[in-house]
Amino acid sequence: MTTTCVKRAFKYRFHPTGAQAAELSRTFGCVRKVYNLALAARTEAWARQERVNYNATSAMLTAWKKTEELAYLNDVSSVPLQQTLRHLQNAFTHFFGKRSQYPRFKSRKKSRKSAEYTTSGFRFREGKLTLAK
């Protein structure tokens, strides 16, 4: 007997209020910051001939949240922050598998603003979308 996994993705257009737009903008900025910090840490480790994986970057994220200068990372949901670390891990997997180039840093102006919420990070009921935090 074979089992198949069905993946579903849905696209919705929504119109956030001013406060919601500000919260989304803050989330996008934090996701970019975490991605760039993790990429810098992994690049430095690579130069020292050390290997850093997802678990190590996740532990780094916890430490970054405890610092005074990065305490604002606690203000947004941890779901997209963890997901960006998974995306970075996937980028390195593809790089080491010779399927892509070395991951690049995300810029404030050129990069696409995005944040991915896993199924535990949002709820869509009765036409209303509720994101974690």
Side-chain angles (χ1 to χ4, degrees), residues 27-28 30-39 42 54 57 61 64 78-91 106 114-118:
T27 301
F28 297 149
C30 288
V31 164
R32 181 179 39 78
K33 180 72 171 177
V34 167
Y35 183 91
N36 287 342
L37 285 171
L39 179 55
R42 289 183 77 142
Y54 166 77
T57 54
L61 174 60
W64 293 332
S78 62
V79 174
L81 300 181
Q82 290 291 334
Q83 195 61 33
T84 197
L85 295 178
R86 288 187 192 96
H87 287 307
L88 183 61
Q89 177 65 36
N90 198 20
K106 295 187 182 292
S114 67
E116 183 177 336
Y117 285 83
T118 58

Side-chain angles (χ1 to χ4, degrees), residues 83-118:
Q83 195 61 33
T84 197
L85 295 178
R86 288 187 192 96
H87 287 307
L88 183 61
Q89 177 65 36
N90 198 20
F92 272 102
T93 300
H94 288 292
F95 169 69
F96 290 126
K98 304 208 184 310
R99 292 188 297 274
S100 68
Q101 294 179 342
Y102 194 80
R104 294 188 208 157
F105 289 95
K106 295 187 182 292
S107 89
R108 187 180 292 181
K109 300 205 182 208
K110 291 183 182 177
S111 297
R112 182 178 181 189
K113 294 176 173 75
S114 67
E116 183 177 336
Y117 285 83
T118 58

Side-chain angles (χ1 to χ4, degrees), residues 34-77:
V34 167
Y35 183 91
N36 287 342
L37 285 171
L39 179 55
R42 289 183 77 142
T43 302
E44 290 168 13
W46 178 254
R48 293 189 309 266
Q49 310 244 329
E50 296 174 11
R51 296 200 85 170
V52 176
N53 59 12
Y54 166 77
N55 293 332
T57 54
S58 183
M60 286 179 200
L61 174 60
T62 304
W64 293 332
K65 285 181 170 186
K66 291 178 182 174
T67 64
E68 195 173 309
E69 60 194 35
L70 295 174
Y72 63 87
L73 294 175
N74 289 310
D75 297 340
V76 298
S77 174

